[in-house]
Amino acid sequence: MKKIIAITNQKGGVGKTTTALSLIGALNQRGYRTLGVDLDPQGSLGFSTGLDIEDIITVYDVLKGKHTIQEAIVETELGDMLPSNILLSTAELEFNVPGREYLLKTQLDLVKDNYDYIIIDTPPALNVLTVNAYVAAEGLIIPMAPEILSLLGISQIRETVETVRRYYNPNLEVLGILLNRYSLRLVLNREVEEMTRSIAKKLNTKVFHTKIRTSVAVAESPAHGESVMTYAPHSKPALDFNALLDELMR
């Protein structure tokens, strides 16, 4: 399993934060030292662990050089977090220095030896923040909802991945496409899965064998400052995310 993994899809509402949070939770349960990095200005990853993201040092302060990454990392019950908030939404305008694509990688290089795994949650856009995640990461997981419109977002990721490989990070690997909110009973879900396989081939990757089934527990857990792994450990999504982690580690 790659050490630094970014969860990415330019389409919103496909379960990026849920996937990041659940993988962090599953790794933490198995005793691994983990760091969650929130690159989404909405700050959902940190908020979902119970952090007050409005009154805290964030990844924005680190990338701006106002604070060190060590000062910004916060301990939570799920593992360490580098949180975010709405200030990060100005990144496209403010981070305009030469080499801006390496801002996150430069910071993570300072602390990555402290962790077994680093999971990066990205914004629903292909912008400078997403590129920073791709440059810093070793592998990408692309979550998607089993809907036709989700396929468009994946197709557009391909160009960005190829650009990053060409100029910044030749070792970047797309680990796979993850189907969220999946139901075998729905014909559309099965049809979209088949179409996703053809897109996966173009990305030189696969559709994960593991599918994440739906449950109300996924929506409820952030309100309790938990991942679904601890909030509802016997729920279908929790079992599925553990299976996904097994698949990644194989």
Side-chain angles (χ1 to χ4, degrees):
M1 181 172 165
K2 301 293 186 181
K3 179 170 184 171
I4 305 178
I5 297 175
I7 314 300
T8 183
N9 192 326
Q10 71 173 56
K11 191 176 187 307
V14 297
K16 288 190 297 295
T17 300
T18 296
T19 300
L21 189 67
S22 299
L23 281 177
I24 291 167
L27 287 165
N28 185 57
Q29 285 181 335
R30 299 187 190 192
Y32 293 104
R33 297 170 300 166
T34 59
L35 172 64
V37 179
D38 195 349
L39 276 192
D40 188 344
Q42 296 180 67
S44 298
L45 187 65
F47 176 81
S48 297
T49 62
L51 297 179
D52 180 4
I53 61 172
E54 301 305 323
D55 186 25
I56 200 169
I57 300 170
T58 69
V59 66
Y60 169 82
D61 300 305
V62 174
L63 299 182
K64 286 287 289 182
K66 295 180 177 180
H67 289 274
T68 67
I69 189 170
Q70 293 87 348
E71 290 172 325
I73 290 174
V74 184
E75 291 183 12
T76 77
E77 292 186 3
L78 281 178
D80 286 358
M81 289 286 162
L82 180 56
S84 171
N85 62 26
I86 196 64
L87 290 175
L88 196 59
S89 61
T90 64
E92 198 70 40
L93 295 174
E94 291 197 51
F95 300 157
N96 53 13
V97 297
R100 67 179 189 160
E101 296 85 1
Y102 294 94
L103 288 172
L104 180 64
K105 175 177 170 52
T106 299
Q107 294 299 325
L108 291 183
D109 282 348
L110 299 175
V111 298
K112 67 181 182 181
D113 290 341
N114 299 334
Y115 300 100
D116 298 307
Y117 296 103
I118 297 174
I119 307 296
I120 306 171
D121 189 20
T122 63
L126 294 177
N127 57 19
V128 66
L129 295 173
T130 308
V131 170
N132 262 263
Y134 289 11
V135 172
E138 299 167 0
L140 304 179
I141 292 175
I142 305 174
M144 63 168 282
E147 303 164 355
I148 298 297
L149 292 179
S150 286
L151 294 171
L152 298 175
I154 294 178
S155 299
Q156 292 161 349
I157 286 174
R158 179 184 175 187
E159 183 178 341
T160 304
V161 170
E162 291 176 349
T163 299
V164 169
R165 282 177 177 155
R166 187 178 304 118
Y167 296 108
Y168 309 112
N169 183 3
N171 299 317
L172 181 63
E173 179 183 351
V174 181
L175 302 177
I177 299 171
L178 176 66
L179 288 167
N180 273 325
R181 302 199 299 272
Y182 187 81
S183 173
L184 267 174
R185 293 177 297 175
L186 298 178
V187 175
L188 177 61
N189 283 196
R190 299 196 300 271
E191 291 176 346
V192 169
E193 181 180 356
E194 287 304 312
M195 288 184 277
T196 305
R197 292 187 191 282
S198 65
I199 293 177
K201 289 181 181 178
K202 295 178 183 178
L203 283 165
N204 194 29
T205 190
K206 64 180 180 180
V207 178
F208 285 110
H209 175 74
T210 304
K211 316 293 190 298
I212 310 301
R213 292 167 288 178
T214 188
S215 168
V216 68
V218 171
E220 292 175 346
S221 55
H224 298 268
E226 298 184 59
S227 78
V228 71
M229 310 305 296
T230 53
Y231 177 73
H234 303 296
S235 64
K236 291 178 180 178
L239 298 175
D240 294 340
F241 277 113
N242 265 316
L244 174 64
L245 185 53
D246 289 338
E247 187 173 348
L248 284 166
M249 290 188 162
R250 285 197 296 271

